[in-house]
Amino acid sequence: MTRLDFLKRAELALAVLLTTTALFLLVIRATHAGALWRDECGTVQLAMMPKVSDIMDYFDHQTFPPLVPLIVRGYIQLFGDSDVALRGFGLVAGITYIGAAWWAAQVAGQGVPLMPIGLFGLSPLFLRSGTTVGGYGFGAVLIVIAFAATVKLLQRRKPRAILLVFLAALVSQQLVINNLILVLTIVLSALVIALGHRKSKTAGILVLIAVGATLLGTIYLRIFANDEWRILFQHPSHIPDLWSELTQAYGQGWLITWVARAAFLIIAFTGAWVSFRNPWDDDGVVIPRFALLVMLVSPLAYFGALLTVGYRTHWWHYLLLLALLPVLMDTMVIAMPRVYWLRLARLGLASTAAILITVPAWTAAHQRQTNIDTVAAKLTEQAKPHDLIVVAPWQLGISFNHYYHGKTTWMTLPEITDHQIHRYDLLLAKMISPNPIEDLLEAISHTLASGNRIWFVGELRLPEPGRPPLSLPPAPNKLYGWDDSAYSESWLEHVGTFLRSHTYRARPVALPAVDATSSYEDIPLTMLEGWQ
């Protein structure tokens, strides 16, 4: 057996081991994620609106283009809307990504996927956010397919490859609009390579695909940009802030972050050296050059788009980029099979990443998305019809609306009229109102004065000792502008101070023991009574 044969067997064995582990963790995740958190509930409740036209009217209030709630609507009609059935949606997305990574490795040169699974398929980010009921999981699948199909198009111009690139480029951004940036990066990078290698017909096809993707993406960008309430999302962004979010998205451990950086740098520098020491018209290095160009440009384009838009980001907003980058690394190594030491390095880096990420991945797979279902069940059991349930902040009302079916009246802080989806337009109306929480305070006063109880869903917030509650005039405020989180904090402090002043008993309510819950929706429940 030659050392090359041994290396091939080692790569295959590791790929099978990583794939088996990833599939096992995906099943664990599907059976332990539990109830849907508020973003998922918003998507499901949008999908379940009475008419399809309702989805088209309100989709811009959620994260994804209308194709996502339409797909979820069809899925629910087939499999039902139980939590178990809907967790199957995310499981299919996760499994499909693993399959797409295998196909991309085969397209690159009959290889096997190591980096996509070792760096991303086992990551807590993938397990938590890539398997939710939404567009991120299948969006990651489609961007990988778009890249791999473009590789096939550069290898050989066939109608099937052309059609696949076209469909993947269009559909991927129908799942997550952020994919538009990555699609254009892939297609325009392929155009540069095609022109450099005098593939004029292929270049013409890529121009048409880029124009089509841009036109379709522009439609949705205009729809989202025309929403006046999106001013609430504006947040001054700087490169260090985005970089911090990106590194947090990958994992809290510094060692795994540096393994990922090392893999990127080693493969990029080696790919550049091998690719560009050959003549420019050498068709043998078309794919490494293409993968290298996408690998270098895509982070810059993605960061540039985020800076331009100026929205505040969360770690799951980087999922698509982090799903694609390991595929690019793998493609470069597989397309340069004679660089033996680089294949050994990939083997070692993927193994190291998998070892470092296994424990965090196991923890993430067992973590519940929310405990709102247990809170709702407890309230159904204990709250009386004349009590009042207060849900704070208002975003929690979306998931509470999905799970609570009791008879007790409930309101959010501030009270808005629609709890099916994220109605930031209604929040904006409250922010510019001179008395945004007066209705809630009156309801609390009436309930307590009548001898009934308040059930507070969320964290009771009080100002620091010696400081009055934060009072803000109607937005925009000179200090906080349109920052909705500042107004939410102000309302929480006012309600917390009011309850402390006018009740004589507050008791935390014990909830049934469940697995560890995500910090984004690990919700306490407090019962308050007495009027003074």
Side-chain angles (χ1 to χ4, degrees):
M1 180 188 299
T2 65
R3 68 174 188 174
L4 185 59
D5 292 332
F6 177 80
L7 180 58
K8 286 182 178 179
R9 292 188 180 186
E11 289 173 336
L12 178 60
L14 180 59
V16 170
L17 177 61
L18 293 177
T19 299
T20 303
T21 305
L23 293 176
F24 175 71
L25 287 173
L26 286 170
V27 173
I28 294 295
R29 181 59 181 162
T31 55
H32 287 75
L36 311 181
W37 83 300
R38 58 181 177 268
D39 278 11
E40 296 176 292
C41 289
T43 299
V44 169
Q45 290 174 152
L46 175 62
M48 295 175 67
M49 285 185 174
K51 301 177 182 178
V52 172
S53 59
D54 294 332
I55 295 177
M56 303 307 296
D57 289 338
Y58 291 103
F59 78 87
D60 57 325
H61 290 274
Q62 286 297 117
T63 304
F64 308 109
L67 181 60
V68 172
L70 289 172
I71 291 174
V72 173
R73 186 185 187 92
Y75 180 90
I76 289 173
Q77 290 175 349
L78 289 174
F79 303 104
D81 63 350
S82 69
D83 291 344
V84 173
L86 289 169
R87 287 300 168 208
F89 183 91
L91 175 62
V92 172
I95 293 173
T96 307
Y97 176 81
I98 301 299
W102 273 89
W103 182 67
Q106 288 291 300
V107 169
Q110 299 298 309
V112 294
L114 298 183
M115 306 307 289
I117 303 177
L119 281 175
F120 183 74
L122 298 178
S123 69
L125 172 65
F126 176 61
L127 293 170
R128 287 179 184 143
S129 298
T131 60
T132 54
V133 182
Y136 284 117
F138 285 109
V141 171
L142 264 293
I143 201 62
V144 171
I145 291 176
F147 170 75
T150 308
V151 169
K152 287 183 71 70
L153 178 58
L154 289 174
Q155 290 171 335
R156 193 169 181 182
R157 192 176 63 255
K158 288 185 176 182
R160 184 181 299 177
I162 296 171
L163 179 61
L164 189 55
V165 174
F166 181 75
L167 290 177
L170 297 187
V171 177
S172 62
Q173 57 179 300
Q174 298 298 303
L175 298 176
V176 189
I177 192 61
N178 304 40
N179 264 340
L180 174 62
I181 302 301
L182 299 178
V183 163
L184 291 178
T185 301
I186 291 169
V187 175
L188 294 178
S189 297
L191 175 61
V192 171
I193 298 299
L195 290 173
H197 287 263
R198 299 177 183 177
K199 299 175 180 283
S200 56
K201 292 183 178 179
T202 301
I205 292 168
L206 290 167
V207 168
L208 293 176
I209 294 173
V211 170
T214 302
L215 290 176
L216 184 59
T218 301
I219 294 174
Y220 288 112
L221 289 176
R222 288 177 64 87
I223 292 173
F224 287 126
N226 287 334
D227 295 327
E228 294 182 356
W229 47 267
R230 288 188 177 271
I231 194 173
L232 302 181
F233 295 167
Q234 295 292 329
H235 182 74
S237 298
H238 306 283
I239 291 178
D241 299 329
L242 298 182
W243 180 254
S244 176
E245 289 280 359
L246 177 66
T247 53
Q248 288 179 19
Y250 199 76
Q252 298 296 327
W254 65 269
L255 191 53
I256 182 62
T257 302
W258 277 105
V259 169
R261 293 173 184 173
F264 183 94
L265 293 173
I266 291 171
I267 294 174
F269 278 116
T270 305
W273 176 70
V274 172
S275 298
F276 293 103
R277 71 174 181 173
N278 293 345
W280 180 254
D281 58 355
D282 183 357
D283 288 342
V285 291
V286 167
I287 303 309
R289 286 174 177 169
F290 170 54
L292 175 63
L293 189 57
V294 178
M295 190 171 162
L296 296 177
V297 174
S298 56
L300 299 177
Y302 205 82
F303 273 56
L306 293 176
L307 288 171
T308 301
V309 173
Y311 287 176
R312 56 181 171 225
T313 62
H314 300 286
W315 43 267
W316 55 82
H317 293 138
Y318 300 88
L319 184 145
L320 301 171
L321 177 63
L322 293 176
L324 178 62
L325 287 176
V327 175
L328 302 175
M329 298 182 205
D330 250 15
T331 299
M332 289 186 64
V333 177
I334 294 170
M336 299 184 297
R338 295 182 181 179
V339 187
Y340 183 81
W341 71 266
L342 184 60
R343 292 177 63 180
L344 280 176
R346 181 181 73 133
L347 194 69
L349 288 166
S351 301
T352 303
I355 292 171
L356 292 174
I357 215 168
T358 297
V359 173
W362 180 258
T363 302
H366 286 79
Q367 188 179 64
R368 287 172 58 94
Q369 289 286 78
T370 178
N371 69 335
I372 194 69
D373 55 330
T374 61
V375 171
K378 178 64 71 172
L379 288 168
T380 301
E381 173 189 334
Q382 295 191 2
K384 296 179 180 179
H386 296 293
D387 291 344
L388 176 66
I389 300 170
V390 178
V391 181
W394 69 275
Q395 295 97 325
L396 295 179
I398 297 168
S399 49
F400 189 77
N401 180 70
H402 185 69
Y403 286 102
Y404 181 69
H405 307 293
K407 297 179 180 180
T408 307
T409 300
W410 65 278
M411 301 174 69
T412 56
L413 175 63
E415 171 60 3
I416 59 177
T417 56
D418 182 6
H419 300 295
Q420 295 183 88
I421 53 178
H422 288 81
R423 294 298 302 270
Y424 279 93
D425 55 331
L426 301 180
L427 176 66
L428 179 62
K430 286 290 185 177
M431 289 175 60
I432 63 178
S433 169
N435 300 299
I437 62 172
E438 184 177 3
D439 53 350
L440 178 61
L441 294 177
E442 288 180 356
I444 291 174
S445 299
H446 176 74
T447 301
L448 292 172
S450 302
N452 299 302
R453 298 172 296 180
I454 300 294
W455 300 85
F456 198 90
V457 178
E459 182 183 355
L460 276 169
R461 200 76 54 84
L462 293 170
E464 297 174 357
R467 178 176 69 81
L470 177 65
S471 295
L472 297 178
N477 175 267
K478 290 184 179 180
L479 180 60
Y480 297 104
W482 294 100
D483 186 356
D484 64 295
S485 62
Y487 281 81
S488 290
E489 183 67 24
S490 170
W491 298 331
L492 281 167
E493 289 188 0
H494 275 279
V495 171
T497 301
F498 183 87
L499 288 170
R500 183 179 61 180
S501 301
H502 293 287
T503 59
Y504 60 77
R505 183 182 298 116
R507 175 175 60 83
V509 179
L511 298 172
V514 295
D515 292 336
T517 304
S518 169
S519 59
Y520 277 91
E521 212 165 282
D522 189 4
I523 307 164
L525 175 62
T526 306
M527 188 275 291
L528 303 102
E529 60 184 344
W531 176 251
Q532 58 182 13

